[in-house]
Amino acid sequence: EAQVTQNPRYLITVTGKKLTVTCSQNMNHEYMSWYRQDPGLGLRQIYYSMNVEVTDKGDVPEGYKVSRKEKRNFPLILESPSPNQTSLYFCASSSDRDYGYTFGSGTRLTVV
Amino acid sequence: AQSVTQPDIHITVSEGASLELRCNYSYGATPYLFWYVQSPGQGLQLLLKYFSGDTLVQGIKGFEAEFKRSQSSFNLRKPSVHWSDAAEYFCAVDPYNTNAGKSTFGDGTTLTVKP
């Protein structure tokens, strides 16, 4: 089944403890992207990637890192999480920019 | 910078009634335009998209959208709403000639369907 898989689905962590949210797609898509969703703010793009080793900042990149060493994987790294990063995170992938994104099921992160 | 406005935060319609969700964008040229739906507790699913050609596009689940260049709008419509359409709907744009992969979403419109 074609899909975008994120792990974990739920995560509670403490301020300052580094964490990684994994994202993997099995569709050989070129484009991948991370979003955060907060009530009343819609989805905001954190980082996106056009291909292996090619990434760029979205609208809210502060406090996040990404890497794209393989085409299928696009992990999101929070080096020192803070409570304002408590959010619902989505990974998405697309074969081309006019195809639209396929989204993962989301990761709900709570930083205390 | 591109932006997307969904003027209606919440819309309530009766089952069987018609639906129109509004979306306005701000961008220097015609961008790629998308509508997504998010059911409670789920990820987003692509409903339809537009870049060029016929300004009325058909999507999944019986939805359609019309692109109007003069109004910078891309409104989503459905002739007869079903209870299962209750969800949150997002309009999104991706710029055409720069920053491949960069996308901007509206704040969303929550649809409630009355029996």
Side-chain angles (χ1 to χ4, degrees), chain B residues 20-71:
Chain B
E20 182 170 31
L21 302 181
R22 296 183 290 164
C23 172
N24 294 97
Y25 68 91
S26 173
Y27 184 59
T30 300
Y32 299 100
L33 294 160
F34 308 91
W35 274 100
Y36 292 87
V37 61
Q38 183 181 30
S39 298
Q42 305 292 317
L44 281 77
Q45 181 182 21
L46 179 68
L47 282 176
L48 47 76
K49 58 189 179 183
Y50 173 81
F51 171 58
S52 64
D54 193 343
T55 57
L56 184 63
V57 295
Q58 303 297 320
I60 62 171
K61 302 177 186 278
F63 285 92
E64 65 180 27
E66 185 172 15
F67 169 66
K68 292 185 177 179
R69 186 188 307 275
S70 61
Q71 298 177 18

mmCIF file of all heavy atoms in Angstrom, chain B residues 20-71:
data_model
loop_
_atom_site.group_PDB
_atom_site.id
_atom_site.type_symbol
_atom_site.label_atom_id
_atom_site.label_comp_id
_atom_site.label_asym_id
_atom_site.label_seq_id
_atom_site.Cartn_x
_atom_site.Cartn_y
_atom_site.Cartn_z
ATOM 1 N N GLU B 20 -20.538 25.638 -0.371
ATOM 2 C CA GLU B 20 -19.444 26.357 -1.006
ATOM 3 C C GLU B 20 -18.499 26.851 0.067
ATOM 4 O O GLU B 20 -18.907 27.557 0.989
ATOM 5 C CB GLU B 20 -19.927 27.537 -1.849
ATOM 6 C CG GLU B 20 -18.774 28.254 -2.557
ATOM 7 C CD GLU B 20 -19.220 29.269 -3.598
ATOM 8 O OE1 GLU B 20 -20.298 29.862 -3.430
ATOM 9 O OE2 GLU B 20 -18.485 29.455 -4.598
ATOM 10 N N LEU B 21 -17.243 26.466 -0.045
ATOM 11 C CA LEU B 21 -16.200 26.926 0.868
ATOM 12 C C LEU B 21 -15.278 27.861 0.089
ATOM 13 O O LEU B 21 -14.815 27.527 -0.997
ATOM 14 C CB LEU B 21 -15.398 25.743 1.418
ATOM 15 C CG LEU B 21 -16.193 24.679 2.163
ATOM 16 C CD1 LEU B 21 -15.254 23.588 2.674
ATOM 17 C CD2 LEU B 21 -16.981 25.280 3.306
ATOM 18 N N ARG B 22 -15.006 29.000 0.682
ATOM 19 C CA ARG B 22 -14.262 30.033 -0.022
ATOM 20 C C ARG B 22 -12.761 29.957 0.246
ATOM 21 O O ARG B 22 -12.331 29.619 1.356
ATOM 22 C CB ARG B 22 -14.793 31.408 0.376
ATOM 23 C CG ARG B 22 -16.245 31.643 -0.029
ATOM 24 C CD ARG B 22 -16.665 33.047 0.334
ATOM 25 N NE ARG B 22 -16.781 33.232 1.777
ATOM 26 C CZ ARG B 22 -16.823 34.418 2.362
ATOM 27 N NH1 ARG B 22 -16.720 35.530 1.650
ATOM 28 N NH2 ARG B 22 -16.957 34.504 3.676
ATOM 29 N N CYS B 23 -12.006 30.314 -0.779
ATOM 30 C CA CYS B 23 -10.551 30.373 -0.676
ATOM 31 C C CYS B 23 -10.058 31.506 -1.574
ATOM 32 O O CYS B 23 -10.369 31.545 -2.765
ATOM 33 C CB CYS B 23 -9.919 29.060 -1.112
ATOM 34 S SG CYS B 23 -8.108 29.115 -1.222
ATOM 35 N N ASN B 24 -9.281 32.401 -0.997
ATOM 36 C CA ASN B 24 -8.633 33.454 -1.766
ATOM 37 C C ASN B 24 -7.135 33.375 -1.557
ATOM 38 O O ASN B 24 -6.676 33.099 -0.453
ATOM 39 C CB ASN B 24 -9.148 34.831 -1.320
ATOM 40 C CG ASN B 24 -10.612 35.021 -1.646
ATOM 41 O OD1 ASN B 24 -11.475 34.813 -0.799
ATOM 42 N ND2 ASN B 24 -10.888 35.394 -2.873
ATOM 43 N N TYR B 25 -6.383 33.621 -2.598
ATOM 44 C CA TYR B 25 -4.932 33.549 -2.488
ATOM 45 C C TYR B 25 -4.313 34.850 -2.951
ATOM 46 O O TYR B 25 -4.914 35.622 -3.704
ATOM 47 C CB TYR B 25 -4.387 32.371 -3.295
ATOM 48 C CG TYR B 25 -4.544 32.548 -4.786
ATOM 49 C CD1 TYR B 25 -3.550 33.139 -5.541
ATOM 50 C CD2 TYR B 25 -5.711 32.128 -5.423
ATOM 51 C CE1 TYR B 25 -3.704 33.322 -6.897
ATOM 52 C CE2 TYR B 25 -5.876 32.303 -6.778
ATOM 53 C CZ TYR B 25 -4.873 32.908 -7.515
ATOM 54 O OH TYR B 25 -5.036 33.092 -8.850
ATOM 55 N N SER B 26 -3.095 35.041 -2.493
ATOM 56 C CA SER B 26 -2.330 36.203 -2.907
ATOM 57 C C SER B 26 -1.004 35.705 -3.434
ATOM 58 O O SER B 26 -0.230 35.082 -2.706
ATOM 59 C CB SER B 26 -2.106 37.153 -1.723
ATOM 60 O OG SER B 26 -1.223 38.203 -2.079
ATOM 61 N N TYR B 27 -0.775 35.963 -4.713
ATOM 62 C CA TYR B 27 0.464 35.523 -5.344
ATOM 63 C C TYR B 27 0.602 36.262 -6.658
ATOM 64 O O TYR B 27 -0.388 36.648 -7.267
ATOM 65 C CB TYR B 27 0.440 34.008 -5.556
ATOM 66 C CG TYR B 27 1.719 33.447 -6.120
ATOM 67 C CD1 TYR B 27 2.925 33.604 -5.441
ATOM 68 C CD2 TYR B 27 1.731 32.775 -7.330
ATOM 69 C CE1 TYR B 27 4.093 33.111 -5.967
ATOM 70 C CE2 TYR B 27 2.906 32.269 -7.856
ATOM 71 C CZ TYR B 27 4.087 32.441 -7.161
ATOM 72 O OH TYR B 27 5.247 31.953 -7.682
ATOM 73 N N GLY B 28 1.830 36.452 -7.119
ATOM 74 C CA GLY B 28 2.061 37.252 -8.313
ATOM 75 C C GLY B 28 1.605 36.611 -9.601
ATOM 76 O O GLY B 28 1.347 37.293 -10.583
ATOM 77 N N ALA B 29 1.516 35.310 -9.620
ATOM 78 C CA ALA B 29 1.091 34.607 -10.827
ATOM 79 C C ALA B 29 0.136 33.508 -10.394
ATOM 80 O O ALA B 29 -0.178 33.372 -9.215
ATOM 81 C CB ALA B 29 2.295 34.027 -11.544
ATOM 82 N N THR B 30 -0.347 32.743 -11.345
ATOM 83 C CA THR B 30 -1.224 31.632 -10.986
ATOM 84 C C THR B 30 -0.391 30.523 -10.357
ATOM 85 O O THR B 30 0.506 29.980 -10.991
ATOM 86 C CB THR B 30 -1.954 31.087 -12.214
ATOM 87 O OG1 THR B 30 -2.734 32.134 -12.772
ATOM 88 C CG2 THR B 30 -2.859 29.935 -11.807
ATOM 89 N N PRO B 31 -0.673 30.205 -9.108
ATOM 90 C CA PRO B 31 0.077 29.129 -8.460
ATOM 91 C C PRO B 31 -0.606 27.777 -8.688
ATOM 92 O O PRO B 31 -1.647 27.710 -9.329
ATOM 93 C CB PRO B 31 -0.010 29.508 -6.989
ATOM 94 C CG PRO B 31 -1.363 30.151 -6.873
ATOM 95 C CD PRO B 31 -1.615 30.840 -8.192
ATOM 96 N N TYR B 32 0.006 26.732 -8.189
ATOM 97 C CA TYR B 32 -0.699 25.463 -8.062
ATOM 98 C C TYR B 32 -1.689 25.623 -6.903
ATOM 99 O O TYR B 32 -1.331 26.127 -5.842
ATOM 100 C CB TYR B 32 0.266 24.329 -7.750
ATOM 101 C CG TYR B 32 1.318 24.096 -8.800
ATOM 102 C CD1 TYR B 32 2.605 24.595 -8.639
ATOM 103 C CD2 TYR B 32 1.035 23.355 -9.939
ATOM 104 C CE1 TYR B 32 3.589 24.374 -9.596
ATOM 105 C CE2 TYR B 32 2.016 23.130 -10.897
ATOM 106 C CZ TYR B 32 3.283 23.645 -10.721
ATOM 107 O OH TYR B 32 4.254 23.423 -11.665
ATOM 108 N N LEU B 33 -2.896 25.161 -7.072
ATOM 109 C CA LEU B 33 -3.940 25.311 -6.064
ATOM 110 C C LEU B 33 -4.506 23.948 -5.678
ATOM 111 O O LEU B 33 -4.707 23.091 -6.554
ATOM 112 C CB LEU B 33 -5.076 26.192 -6.595
ATOM 113 C CG LEU B 33 -4.690 27.649 -6.865
ATOM 114 C CD1 LEU B 33 -5.679 28.297 -7.826
ATOM 115 C CD2 LEU B 33 -4.632 28.427 -5.558
ATOM 116 N N PHE B 34 -4.749 23.768 -4.403
ATOM 117 C CA PHE B 34 -5.203 22.474 -3.901
ATOM 118 C C PHE B 34 -6.280 22.670 -2.833
ATOM 119 O O PHE B 34 -6.298 23.669 -2.127
ATOM 120 C CB PHE B 34 -4.048 21.699 -3.254
ATOM 121 C CG PHE B 34 -2.826 21.567 -4.113
ATOM 122 C CD1 PHE B 34 -1.821 22.514 -4.050
ATOM 123 C CD2 PHE B 34 -2.679 20.486 -4.964
ATOM 124 C CE1 PHE B 34 -0.680 22.398 -4.838
ATOM 125 C CE2 PHE B 34 -1.540 20.358 -5.751
ATOM 126 C CZ PHE B 34 -0.545 21.315 -5.687
ATOM 127 N N TRP B 35 -7.138 21.662 -2.717
ATOM 128 C CA TRP B 35 -8.028 21.524 -1.577
ATOM 129 C C TRP B 35 -7.775 20.162 -0.932
ATOM 130 O O TRP B 35 -7.693 19.139 -1.628
ATOM 131 C CB TRP B 35 -9.493 21.611 -1.987
ATOM 132 C CG TRP B 35 -10.033 22.999 -2.063
ATOM 133 C CD1 TRP B 35 -10.213 23.765 -3.174
ATOM 134 C CD2 TRP B 35 -10.504 23.794 -0.969
ATOM 135 N NE1 TRP B 35 -10.745 24.978 -2.848
ATOM 136 C CE2 TRP B 35 -10.935 25.036 -1.503
ATOM 137 C CE3 TRP B 35 -10.604 23.600 0.412
ATOM 138 C CZ2 TRP B 35 -11.459 26.059 -0.704
ATOM 139 C CZ3 TRP B 35 -11.116 24.608 1.200
ATOM 140 C CH2 TRP B 35 -11.542 25.821 0.644
ATOM 141 N N TYR B 36 -7.667 20.190 0.409
ATOM 142 C CA TYR B 36 -7.491 18.978 1.187
ATOM 143 C C TYR B 36 -8.623 18.886 2.207
ATOM 144 O O TYR B 36 -9.177 19.890 2.652
ATOM 145 C CB TYR B 36 -6.164 19.004 1.952
ATOM 146 C CG TYR B 36 -4.925 18.921 1.102
ATOM 147 C CD1 TYR B 36 -4.345 20.070 0.564
ATOM 148 C CD2 TYR B 36 -4.305 17.704 0.864
ATOM 149 C CE1 TYR B 36 -3.198 20.004 -0.194
ATOM 150 C CE2 TYR B 36 -3.141 17.623 0.107
ATOM 151 C CZ TYR B 36 -2.602 18.776 -0.422
ATOM 152 O OH TYR B 36 -1.453 18.699 -1.177
ATOM 153 N N VAL B 37 -8.906 17.641 2.633
ATOM 154 C CA VAL B 37 -9.877 17.412 3.696
ATOM 155 C C VAL B 37 -9.216 16.642 4.820
ATOM 156 O O VAL B 37 -8.380 15.752 4.571
ATOM 157 C CB VAL B 37 -11.123 16.669 3.169
ATOM 158 C CG1 VAL B 37 -10.763 15.301 2.606
ATOM 159 C CG2 VAL B 37 -12.165 16.523 4.264
ATOM 160 N N GLN B 38 -9.557 17.001 6.048
ATOM 161 C CA GLN B 38 -9.032 16.308 7.219
ATOM 162 C C GLN B 38 -10.193 15.877 8.107
ATOM 163 O O GLN B 38 -10.857 16.712 8.719
ATOM 164 C CB GLN B 38 -8.083 17.214 7.999
ATOM 165 C CG GLN B 38 -7.431 16.539 9.193
ATOM 166 C CD GLN B 38 -6.508 17.458 9.968
ATOM 167 O OE1 GLN B 38 -6.721 18.678 10.012
ATOM 168 N NE2 GLN B 38 -5.481 16.903 10.573
ATOM 169 N N SER B 39 -10.417 14.584 8.176
ATOM 170 C CA SER B 39 -11.424 14.059 9.088
ATOM 171 C C SER B 39 -10.844 14.010 10.494
ATOM 172 O O SER B 39 -9.617 13.948 10.646
ATOM 173 C CB SER B 39 -11.871 12.670 8.635
ATOM 174 O OG SER B 39 -12.462 12.746 7.354
ATOM 175 N N PRO B 40 -11.678 14.028 11.514
ATOM 176 C CA PRO B 40 -11.174 14.058 12.892
ATOM 177 C C PRO B 40 -10.174 12.953 13.177
ATOM 178 O O PRO B 40 -10.423 11.775 12.890
ATOM 179 C CB PRO B 40 -12.458 13.891 13.720
ATOM 180 C CG PRO B 40 -13.538 14.450 12.863
ATOM 181 C CD PRO B 40 -13.147 14.104 11.448
ATOM 182 N N GLY B 41 -9.022 13.327 13.711
ATOM 183 C CA GLY B 41 -8.001 12.363 14.085
ATOM 184 C C GLY B 41 -7.233 11.766 12.918
ATOM 185 O O GLY B 41 -6.461 10.815 13.107
ATOM 186 N N GLN B 42 -7.417 12.315 11.743
ATOM 187 C CA GLN B 42 -6.782 11.769 10.545
ATOM 188 C C GLN B 42 -5.789 12.758 9.948
ATOM 189 O O GLN B 42 -5.764 13.934 10.302
ATOM 190 C CB GLN B 42 -7.839 11.429 9.492
ATOM 191 C CG GLN B 42 -8.930 10.496 9.963
ATOM 192 C CD GLN B 42 -8.395 9.108 10.233
ATOM 193 O OE1 GLN B 42 -7.598 8.565 9.466
ATOM 194 N NE2 GLN B 42 -8.806 8.521 11.341
ATOM 195 N N GLY B 43 -5.005 12.243 9.005
ATOM 196 C CA GLY B 43 -4.163 13.119 8.215
ATOM 197 C C GLY B 43 -4.997 13.786 7.136
ATOM 198 O O GLY B 43 -6.211 13.630 7.067
ATOM 199 N N LEU B 44 -4.343 14.553 6.282
ATOM 200 C CA LEU B 44 -5.039 15.255 5.220
ATOM 201 C C LEU B 44 -5.100 14.407 3.958
ATOM 202 O O LEU B 44 -4.157 13.672 3.653
ATOM 203 C CB LEU B 44 -4.330 16.575 4.901
ATOM 204 C CG LEU B 44 -4.592 17.734 5.858
ATOM 205 C CD1 LEU B 44 -3.799 17.567 7.144
ATOM 206 C CD2 LEU B 44 -4.243 19.061 5.195
ATOM 207 N N GLN B 45 -6.188 14.554 3.232
ATOM 208 C CA GLN B 45 -6.372 13.839 1.975
ATOM 209 C C GLN B 45 -6.630 14.854 0.867
ATOM 210 O O GLN B 45 -7.454 15.765 1.027
ATOM 211 C CB GLN B 45 -7.549 12.872 2.071
ATOM 212 C CG GLN B 45 -7.797 12.068 0.803
ATOM 213 C CD GLN B 45 -9.000 11.159 0.919
ATOM 214 O OE1 GLN B 45 -9.884 11.352 1.748
ATOM 215 N NE2 GLN B 45 -9.039 10.146 0.080
ATOM 216 N N LEU B 46 -5.961 14.688 -0.254
ATOM 217 C CA LEU B 46 -6.137 15.595 -1.380
ATOM 218 C C LEU B 46 -7.504 15.382 -2.025
ATOM 219 O O LEU B 46 -7.868 14.260 -2.387
ATOM 220 C CB LEU B 46 -5.034 15.349 -2.411
ATOM 221 C CG LEU B 46 -5.079 16.211 -3.671
ATOM 222 C CD1 LEU B 46 -4.770 17.667 -3.335
ATOM 223 C CD2 LEU B 46 -4.076 15.696 -4.704
ATOM 224 N N LEU B 47 -8.274 16.465 -2.158
ATOM 225 C CA LEU B 47 -9.578 16.411 -2.823
ATOM 226 C C LEU B 47 -9.458 16.721 -4.312
ATOM 227 O O LEU B 47 -10.042 16.028 -5.142
ATOM 228 C CB LEU B 47 -10.529 17.440 -2.196
ATOM 229 C CG LEU B 47 -11.175 17.100 -0.856
ATOM 230 C CD1 LEU B 47 -11.991 18.286 -0.372
ATOM 231 C CD2 LEU B 47 -12.043 15.853 -0.955
ATOM 232 N N LEU B 48 -8.743 17.788 -4.635
ATOM 233 C CA LEU B 48 -8.581 18.182 -6.027
ATOM 234 C C LEU B 48 -7.475 19.208 -6.140
ATOM 235 O O LEU B 48 -6.978 19.706 -5.142
ATOM 236 C CB LEU B 48 -9.909 18.716 -6.593
ATOM 237 C CG LEU B 48 -10.686 19.737 -5.763
ATOM 238 C CD1 LEU B 48 -10.076 21.111 -5.819
ATOM 239 C CD2 LEU B 48 -12.147 19.796 -6.213
ATOM 240 N N LYS B 49 -7.104 19.507 -7.407
ATOM 241 C CA LYS B 49 -6.001 20.431 -7.638
ATOM 242 C C LYS B 49 -6.238 21.146 -8.964
ATOM 243 O O LYS B 49 -6.979 20.676 -9.831
ATOM 244 C CB LYS B 49 -4.682 19.673 -7.705
ATOM 245 C CG LYS B 49 -4.680 18.611 -8.802
ATOM 246 C CD LYS B 49 -3.455 17.727 -8.730
ATOM 247 C CE LYS B 49 -3.527 16.681 -9.838
ATOM 248 N NZ LYS B 49 -2.406 15.734 -9.794
ATOM 249 N N TYR B 50 -5.551 22.305 -9.106
ATOM 250 C CA TYR B 50 -5.632 23.072 -10.333
ATOM 251 C C TYR B 50 -4.287 23.722 -10.606
ATOM 252 O O TYR B 50 -3.637 24.241 -9.701
ATOM 253 C CB TYR B 50 -6.704 24.163 -10.231
ATOM 254 C CG TYR B 50 -6.701 25.081 -11.430
ATOM 255 C CD1 TYR B 50 -7.322 24.699 -12.610
ATOM 256 C CD2 TYR B 50 -6.028 26.300 -11.391
ATOM 257 C CE1 TYR B 50 -7.275 25.515 -13.717
ATOM 258 C CE2 TYR B 50 -5.979 27.116 -12.505
ATOM 259 C CZ TYR B 50 -6.603 26.723 -13.671
ATOM 260 O OH TYR B 50 -6.551 27.532 -14.778
ATOM 261 N N PHE B 51 -3.904 23.692 -11.886
ATOM 262 C CA PHE B 51 -2.781 24.518 -12.310
ATOM 263 C C PHE B 51 -3.113 25.283 -13.579
ATOM 264 O O PHE B 51 -2.860 26.478 -13.703
ATOM 265 C CB PHE B 51 -1.516 23.690 -12.518
ATOM 266 C CG PHE B 51 -0.418 24.489 -13.153
ATOM 267 C CD1 PHE B 51 0.053 25.637 -12.543
ATOM 268 C CD2 PHE B 51 0.125 24.136 -14.381
ATOM 269 C CE1 PHE B 51 1.052 26.414 -13.125
ATOM 270 C CE2 PHE B 51 1.119 24.894 -14.959
ATOM 271 C CZ PHE B 51 1.585 26.039 -14.347
ATOM 272 N N SER B 52 -3.665 24.581 -14.540
ATOM 273 C CA SER B 52 -3.984 25.245 -15.805
ATOM 274 C C SER B 52 -5.132 24.493 -16.455
ATOM 275 O O SER B 52 -5.557 23.444 -15.991
ATOM 276 C CB SER B 52 -2.763 25.276 -16.728
ATOM 277 O OG SER B 52 -2.385 23.967 -17.077
ATOM 278 N N GLY B 53 -5.634 25.047 -17.574
ATOM 279 C CA GLY B 53 -6.694 24.381 -18.314
ATOM 280 C C GLY B 53 -8.060 24.786 -17.821
ATOM 281 O O GLY B 53 -8.267 25.908 -17.348
ATOM 282 N N ASP B 54 -8.998 23.874 -17.916
ATOM 283 C CA ASP B 54 -10.371 24.125 -17.514
ATOM 284 C C ASP B 54 -10.424 24.661 -16.086
ATOM 285 O O ASP B 54 -9.854 24.065 -15.168
ATOM 286 C CB ASP B 54 -11.181 22.834 -17.613
ATOM 287 C CG ASP B 54 -12.675 23.069 -17.525
ATOM 288 O OD1 ASP B 54 -13.088 24.159 -17.073
ATOM 289 O OD2 ASP B 54 -13.430 22.163 -17.898
ATOM 290 N N THR B 55 -11.109 25.770 -15.908
ATOM 291 C CA THR B 55 -11.117 26.409 -14.586
ATOM 292 C C THR B 55 -12.049 25.720 -13.598
ATOM 293 O O THR B 55 -12.041 26.049 -12.421
ATOM 294 C CB THR B 55 -11.509 27.886 -14.708
ATOM 295 O OG1 THR B 55 -12.779 27.973 -15.353
ATOM 296 C CG2 THR B 55 -10.476 28.653 -15.512
ATOM 297 N N LEU B 56 -12.860 24.801 -14.056
ATOM 298 C CA LEU B 56 -13.717 24.016 -13.172
ATOM 299 C C LEU B 56 -13.115 22.614 -13.095
ATOM 300 O O LEU B 56 -13.052 21.904 -14.095
ATOM 301 C CB LEU B 56 -15.147 23.958 -13.714
ATOM 302 C CG LEU B 56 -16.171 23.252 -12.829
ATOM 303 C CD1 LEU B 56 -16.334 24.004 -11.504
ATOM 304 C CD2 LEU B 56 -17.511 23.140 -13.542
ATOM 305 N N VAL B 57 -12.662 22.248 -11.914
ATOM 306 C CA VAL B 57 -12.012 20.949 -11.751
ATOM 307 C C VAL B 57 -12.841 20.050 -10.867
ATOM 308 O O VAL B 57 -13.473 20.500 -9.909
ATOM 309 C CB VAL B 57 -10.588 21.103 -11.173
ATOM 310 C CG1 VAL B 57 -9.701 21.832 -12.150
ATOM 311 C CG2 VAL B 57 -10.603 21.831 -9.845
ATOM 312 N N GLN B 58 -12.821 18.777 -11.211
ATOM 313 C CA GLN B 58 -13.562 17.780 -10.441
ATOM 314 C C GLN B 58 -12.610 17.034 -9.535
ATOM 315 O O GLN B 58 -11.448 16.780 -9.897
ATOM 316 C CB GLN B 58 -14.245 16.799 -11.391
ATOM 317 C CG GLN B 58 -15.183 17.442 -12.396
ATOM 318 C CD GLN B 58 -16.355 18.148 -11.733
ATOM 319 O OE1 GLN B 58 -16.924 17.646 -10.764
ATOM 320 N NE2 GLN B 58 -16.705 19.328 -12.242
ATOM 321 N N GLY B 59 -13.085 16.665 -8.381
ATOM 322 C CA GLY B 59 -12.253 15.933 -7.440
ATOM 323 C C GLY B 59 -12.942 14.686 -6.953
ATOM 324 O O GLY B 59 -13.940 14.234 -7.511
ATOM 325 N N ILE B 60 -12.409 14.161 -5.874
ATOM 326 C CA ILE B 60 -12.991 12.954 -5.293
ATOM 327 C C ILE B 60 -14.167 13.311 -4.396
ATOM 328 O O ILE B 60 -14.366 14.487 -4.057
ATOM 329 C CB ILE B 60 -11.941 12.161 -4.500
ATOM 330 C CG1 ILE B 60 -11.419 12.991 -3.329
ATOM 331 C CG2 ILE B 60 -10.796 11.729 -5.405
ATOM 332 C CD1 ILE B 60 -10.538 12.215 -2.365
ATOM 333 N N LYS B 61 -14.949 12.328 -4.028
ATOM 334 C CA LYS B 61 -16.067 12.463 -3.102
ATOM 335 C C LYS B 61 -17.142 13.440 -3.611
ATOM 336 O O LYS B 61 -17.926 13.959 -2.834
ATOM 337 C CB LYS B 61 -15.594 12.942 -1.721
ATOM 338 C CG LYS B 61 -14.569 12.036 -1.056
ATOM 339 C CD LYS B 61 -14.124 12.639 0.269
ATOM 340 C CE LYS B 61 -12.992 11.864 0.906
ATOM 341 N NZ LYS B 61 -13.444 10.690 1.651
ATOM 342 N N GLY B 62 -17.198 13.689 -4.918
ATOM 343 C CA GLY B 62 -18.227 14.548 -5.483
ATOM 344 C C GLY B 62 -17.959 16.036 -5.390
ATOM 345 O O GLY B 62 -18.831 16.861 -5.663
ATOM 346 N N PHE B 63 -16.750 16.423 -4.988
ATOM 347 C CA PHE B 63 -16.390 17.833 -4.882
ATOM 348 C C PHE B 63 -15.890 18.389 -6.210
ATOM 349 O O PHE B 63 -15.335 17.666 -7.031
ATOM 350 C CB PHE B 63 -15.305 18.030 -3.813
ATOM 351 C CG PHE B 63 -15.816 17.919 -2.413
ATOM 352 C CD1 PHE B 63 -15.795 16.706 -1.748
ATOM 353 C CD2 PHE B 63 -16.313 19.036 -1.749
ATOM 354 C CE1 PHE B 63 -16.268 16.599 -0.451
ATOM 355 C CE2 PHE B 63 -16.782 18.944 -0.449
ATOM 356 C CZ PHE B 63 -16.761 17.722 0.201
ATOM 357 N N GLU B 64 -16.077 19.688 -6.372
ATOM 358 C CA GLU B 64 -15.525 20.421 -7.499
ATOM 359 C C GLU B 64 -15.058 21.784 -7.005
ATOM 360 O O GLU B 64 -15.455 22.238 -5.929
ATOM 361 C CB GLU B 64 -16.556 20.606 -8.623
ATOM 362 C CG GLU B 64 -17.737 21.466 -8.241
ATOM 363 C CD GLU B 64 -18.732 21.632 -9.382
ATOM 364 O OE1 GLU B 64 -18.817 20.740 -10.259
ATOM 365 O OE2 GLU B 64 -19.415 22.661 -9.392
ATOM 366 N N ALA B 65 -14.206 22.414 -7.786
ATOM 367 C CA ALA B 65 -13.740 23.748 -7.429
ATOM 368 C C ALA B 65 -13.582 24.565 -8.695
ATOM 369 O O ALA B 65 -13.273 24.030 -9.764
ATOM 370 C CB ALA B 65 -12.415 23.684 -6.679
ATOM 371 N N GLU B 66 -13.801 25.863 -8.553
ATOM 372 C CA GLU B 66 -13.695 26.753 -9.693
ATOM 373 C C GLU B 66 -12.628 27.797 -9.445
ATOM 374 O O GLU B 66 -12.647 28.498 -8.426
ATOM 375 C CB GLU B 66 -15.020 27.440 -9.981
ATOM 376 C CG GLU B 66 -14.982 28.305 -11.247
ATOM 377 C CD GLU B 66 -16.331 28.833 -11.644
ATOM 378 O OE1 GLU B 66 -17.270 28.792 -10.820
ATOM 379 O OE2 GLU B 66 -16.446 29.303 -12.796
ATOM 380 N N PHE B 67 -11.704 27.902 -10.375
ATOM 381 C CA PHE B 67 -10.655 28.906 -10.312
ATOM 382 C C PHE B 67 -11.125 30.165 -11.027
ATOM 383 O O PHE B 67 -11.581 30.107 -12.173
ATOM 384 C CB PHE B 67 -9.380 28.378 -10.985
ATOM 385 C CG PHE B 67 -8.321 29.421 -11.200
ATOM 386 C CD1 PHE B 67 -7.700 30.014 -10.111
ATOM 387 C CD2 PHE B 67 -7.943 29.812 -12.478
ATOM 388 C CE1 PHE B 67 -6.720 30.975 -10.303
ATOM 389 C CE2 PHE B 67 -6.965 30.770 -12.677
ATOM 390 C CZ PHE B 67 -6.355 31.351 -11.587
ATOM 391 N N LYS B 68 -11.023 31.295 -10.334
ATOM 392 C CA LYS B 68 -11.372 32.573 -10.937
ATOM 393 C C LYS B 68 -10.175 33.515 -10.790
ATOM 394 O O LYS B 68 -9.914 34.054 -9.697
ATOM 395 C CB LYS B 68 -12.617 33.177 -10.282
ATOM 396 C CG LYS B 68 -13.884 32.393 -10.567
ATOM 397 C CD LYS B 68 -15.114 33.090 -10.005
ATOM 398 C CE LYS B 68 -16.383 32.325 -10.360
ATOM 399 N NZ LYS B 68 -17.604 32.961 -9.814
ATOM 400 N N ARG B 69 -9.468 33.699 -11.880
ATOM 401 C CA ARG B 69 -8.250 34.499 -11.858
ATOM 402 C C ARG B 69 -8.538 35.941 -11.438
ATOM 403 O O ARG B 69 -7.795 36.518 -10.648
ATOM 404 C CB ARG B 69 -7.590 34.501 -13.237
ATOM 405 C CG ARG B 69 -6.245 35.192 -13.293
ATOM 406 C CD ARG B 69 -5.772 35.308 -14.730
ATOM 407 N NE ARG B 69 -5.790 34.030 -15.423
ATOM 408 C CZ ARG B 69 -4.805 33.153 -15.381
ATOM 409 N NH1 ARG B 69 -3.718 33.440 -14.702
ATOM 410 N NH2 ARG B 69 -4.891 32.026 -16.039
ATOM 411 N N SER B 70 -9.622 36.496 -11.936
ATOM 412 C CA SER B 70 -9.931 37.907 -11.657
ATOM 413 C C SER B 70 -10.206 38.153 -10.181
ATOM 414 O O SER B 70 -10.005 39.255 -9.680
ATOM 415 C CB SER B 70 -11.145 38.345 -12.482
ATOM 416 O OG SER B 70 -12.277 37.578 -12.138
ATOM 417 N N GLN B 71 -10.649 37.119 -9.491
ATOM 418 C CA GLN B 71 -10.961 37.258 -8.068
ATOM 419 C C GLN B 71 -9.918 36.591 -7.180
ATOM 420 O O GLN B 71 -10.057 36.590 -5.962
ATOM 421 C CB GLN B 71 -12.335 36.648 -7.781
ATOM 422 C CG GLN B 71 -13.468 37.331 -8.533
ATOM 423 C CD GLN B 71 -14.816 36.665 -8.295
ATOM 424 O OE1 GLN B 71 -14.998 35.921 -7.343
ATOM 425 N NE2 GLN B 71 -15.772 36.932 -9.177
#
